Amino acid sequence: MTDKPLNNQEIDKISQKMDLLIETSSTNLINYCQIVQKKKGETKFLTAQLYYTVGTGYYSAYRAIIADEWSSPHIKRAIYYLRKALHELTNQKDKYYSFESRKGLAHFSTAHLRSKISINLANYLTEQHRHLEALEFYDLAIDEKNAFGLATKARCLIEASESIYDENSRFFFYKQSYRLSKKAKLSESVSTPGEQDLFEQLNHRLNHYCKWFEAQYPEYLDSDHSDTHKENFMNRKHKSYLDWVGKNKLFLNFTNNVITEEYAYEDCLYLPSFSGKINHLLLPSEELAYHSHFEEIKDTYKYVRYLFHTALQIPIETEHMYNSTTSQVESYDSTFYDLKTNHYRTALRCLYSIQDKIAYFIYKFFKVSDNEIPEHKVNINSIFSSNQKPAIWLNEVKNPYLRALYFLSQDIHDTGEKNSTTNKDPNANLFLADVNYPRANIVNKIRNALEHKSLKIVDSFGYELSQKPYNPENTLKAAETKLSELDADSEEHKELVELIKEKRRLQSYGEAISVEDLEQQIMGLFKMSKTAMMYLALSIHHQEKSLPDDDTLIASREVPYR
């Protein structure tokens, strides 16, 4: 990390050089990205611009080798730095900046930059076949009144609809694409000349799509009845819960990815039909093993979704009978021990377990060899990766949605940069407040602390105050400074060494996260888990379509429902 932050003119020069390296297909592109990624701007806005440039550089490097290496770390780093760029713009809404440039005074806005970053990030995700995750980033651009976001989201939905096996959901992807395409043609908010050219090219293609949709579904141009459908609720509490699920797009169906009306209020995600060889040795329950396991995963998700919603309604430190028979230790760090936070702990454990159960499903369904991955070592990381590269079986399958799951698993286990397992570096934040980015490091830290160490769910303000020593001389930094000044053979030096060891041992005892940040983290895990289940179902559908026709005697199993 450079000591001196960069100003706008310096970042502009970096951008120009990056463009030149990209245009000339220079072999120095990756090296230059690695140098620039360590720098920062004078402001968060300038740092976001810098990370945007780095992400663009890595993506260009990926495009040059995609045919030879689909899993290149360059695409992961491109997404990594665009996420970082977006994070720098957090809480910066409708801000404007003016900087001196070679052509005079240049004017910029956070809305413009955020929309550009969001569209590129969404486009990069679609390169990984992660169309369902890309949608929220196109929405960020649309929120900033960028019409190119409308057109690119429409394209994304059209591409995604090609793989959706549920006819009803596929229709709503079609319909939403149609709406966005028509709306994009009415808008005049495209922001840059380069974007304008791409926008017009894409609009031309979308015009053909609109004509196709109008010919295919003439009766649904004005209304598809999703806005008039009314759900039958048991009571107000039931309605409140389902409204919350729908608004946050947490229903297990593809339709809720594009509409939030009551029409989408159902958990109807199911495995696509698939066939297998007739085996008279199998019991009926064994024939339905995959469907049963998928139902178990869905049920865990639905249970924890309700548990989390219930916990959100509970005021912090509400008294409850479960802990009414004991006194609690006053740990002087504003840690909460109550029903609400324990519900959150349970939610985390369940959501983590879903990831590993999906990995085990894949292990069995795609018949991964026990020689490659022993069954007892299967988890969401090991199923896809070996020595930081895609597993051998994954390369052989060539299934785009398994590859999407591979990249999604990287969001849990890898950010491309290795960090310590503890965040208690003297120069780091006191607690896990950065929940938006980097996602993988936070997920790993919370899971490791929850299952193996200590996870403190705290009041952020009180916790920060509790970590400040009364005497500024009683800090680790002051102690280390004093240690360097002492005679290494003195008794005082030996005593201070032991004190410093104990300080380091106890300050890394666990992790702390505020209630508000943990709620955001859990919500992110919900979306990740839902998306993973959908990619799993799509991977099976793709696999079934890819099977060759031969003379083997096979049969499809009808799935019974209660």
Side-chain angles (χ1 to χ4, degrees), residues 38-168:
K38 301 175 183 177
K39 303 177 183 294
K40 294 194 78 171
E42 290 179 335
T43 66
K44 287 182 175 294
F45 180 84
L46 291 175
T47 301
Q49 282 191 314
L50 185 66
Y51 289 153
Y52 173 65
T53 300
V54 172
T56 303
Y58 275 125
Y59 177 72
S60 298
Y62 166 72
R63 291 298 301 171
I65 62 170
I66 184 174
D68 301 317
E69 192 178 358
W70 66 267
S71 63
S72 164
H74 302 330
I75 185 63
K76 290 185 284 186
R77 289 178 184 139
I79 290 173
Y80 180 94
Y81 281 98
L82 290 196
R83 285 187 188 273
K84 287 193 78 167
L86 273 184
H87 184 63
E88 290 295 323
L89 298 178
T90 304
N91 300 325
Q92 293 196 39
K93 189 75 174 174
D94 298 329
K95 288 193 175 183
Y96 298 87
Y97 300 89
S98 296
F99 300 104
E100 287 292 340
S101 68
R102 293 177 294 109
K103 299 179 180 179
L105 198 63
H107 303 282
F108 302 91
S109 72
T110 54
H112 176 205
L113 181 58
R114 184 184 287 109
S115 67
K116 285 205 306 180
I117 295 169
S118 299
I119 291 173
N120 277 17
L121 175 53
N123 289 341
Y124 297 175
L125 286 169
T126 62
E127 289 277 351
Q128 298 179 327
H129 302 283
R130 299 167 70 180
H131 295 74
L132 300 179
E133 294 164 87
L135 297 178
E136 70 168 295
F137 295 104
Y138 287 125
D139 286 338
L140 287 178
I142 292 170
D143 289 343
E144 300 294 357
K145 313 302 180 187
N146 189 324
F148 194 42
L150 294 166
T152 48
K153 183 180 179 182
R155 179 185 63 189
C156 175
L157 289 169
I158 294 169
E159 292 173 354
S161 66
E162 295 173 359
S163 299
I164 292 178
Y165 51 88
D166 176 67
E167 186 176 341
N168 190 57

Side-chain angles (χ1 to χ4, degrees), residues 124-274:
Y124 297 175
L125 286 169
T126 62
E127 289 277 351
Q128 298 179 327
H129 302 283
R130 299 167 70 180
H131 295 74
L132 300 179
E133 294 164 87
L135 297 178
E136 70 168 295
F137 295 104
Y138 287 125
D139 286 338
L140 287 178
I142 292 170
D143 289 343
E144 300 294 357
K145 313 302 180 187
N146 189 324
F148 194 42
L150 294 166
T152 48
K153 183 180 179 182
R155 179 185 63 189
C156 175
L157 289 169
I158 294 169
E159 292 173 354
S161 66
E162 295 173 359
S163 299
I164 292 178
Y165 51 88
D166 176 67
E167 186 176 341
N168 190 57
S169 296
R170 188 165 60 247
F171 165 77
F172 281 102
F173 272 59
Y174 286 158
K175 180 62 183 289
Q176 188 68 3
S177 302
Y178 176 74
R179 286 175 175 169
L180 292 168
S181 301
K182 300 294 280 187
K183 189 174 181 181
K185 287 192 290 186
L186 301 175
S187 177
E188 297 178 354
S189 59
V190 176
S191 43
T192 65
E195 214 172 54
Q196 180 70 50
D197 294 338
L198 292 171
F199 176 64
E200 290 177 356
Q201 293 173 24
L202 183 53
N203 246 347
H204 180 72
R205 291 162 53 192
L206 291 176
N207 282 338
H208 290 290
Y209 171 78
C210 288
K211 292 177 182 177
W212 171 85
F213 183 87
E214 288 165 358
Q216 196 77 12
Y217 301 100
E219 70 275 25
Y220 294 119
L221 297 182
D222 298 321
S223 174
D224 51 37
H225 309 301
S226 63
D227 53 349
T228 58
H229 174 82
K230 294 299 178 183
E231 192 72 13
N232 292 321
F233 301 106
M234 293 184 289
N235 48 46
R236 281 185 295 179
K237 184 178 179 181
H238 185 214
K239 183 181 187 305
S240 175
Y241 169 63
L242 296 187
D243 284 346
W244 174 82
V245 176
K247 177 183 177 182
N248 288 285
K249 298 182 177 180
L250 298 180
F251 279 110
L252 289 176
N253 64 65
F254 290 103
T255 305
N256 194 211
N257 285 293
V258 292
I259 67 170
T260 57
E261 287 82 6
E262 292 180 15
Y263 188 88
Y265 285 17
E266 59 179 341
D267 294 302
C268 57
L269 179 67
Y270 57 89
L271 290 181
S273 60
F274 56 89

Side-chain angles (χ1 to χ4, degrees), residues 76 80 130 351-356 359 377-385 388 405-419 421 438-445 447-448 451-452 521 525 528:
K76 290 185 284 186
Y80 180 94
R130 299 167 70 180
L351 290 169
Y352 292 142
S353 75
I354 285 174
Q355 309 298 328
D356 291 336
K377 291 187 177 181
V378 173
N379 57 48
I380 194 63
N381 184 36
S382 66
I383 190 65
F384 294 119
S385 302
Q388 299 184 332
L405 278 166
Y406 163 79
F407 286 118
L408 180 62
S409 73
Q410 305 302 297
D411 280 0
I412 305 173
H413 288 277
D414 177 46
T415 59
E417 294 182 358
K418 299 300 179 185
N419 290 320
T421 56
R439 175 161 61 171
N441 285 338
I442 300 301
V443 170
N444 278 334
K445 287 179 179 180
R447 184 173 193 175
N448 186 51
E451 297 181 352
H452 307 295
Q521 180 67 26
L525 284 171
M528 189 184 296

Side-chain angles (χ1 to χ4, degrees), residues 532-547:
M533 281 185 271
M534 290 184 166
Y535 288 157
L536 173 60
L538 290 170
S539 71
I540 293 171
H541 180 58
H542 182 274
Q543 180 75 2
E544 187 69 12
K545 289 196 305 180
S546 304
L547 292 176

Side-chain angles (χ1 to χ4, degrees), residues 9 62 140 163 194 233 265 269 278 303 397 399 425 433 460-462 468 471 497 502:
Q9 291 180 331
Y62 166 72
L140 287 178
S163 299
F233 301 106
Y265 285 17
L269 179 67
I278 293 177
Y303 160 72
V397 171
N399 186 310
D425 186 299
S460 57
F461 180 72
K468 295 178 180 178
N471 186 343
V497 167
E502 184 176 23

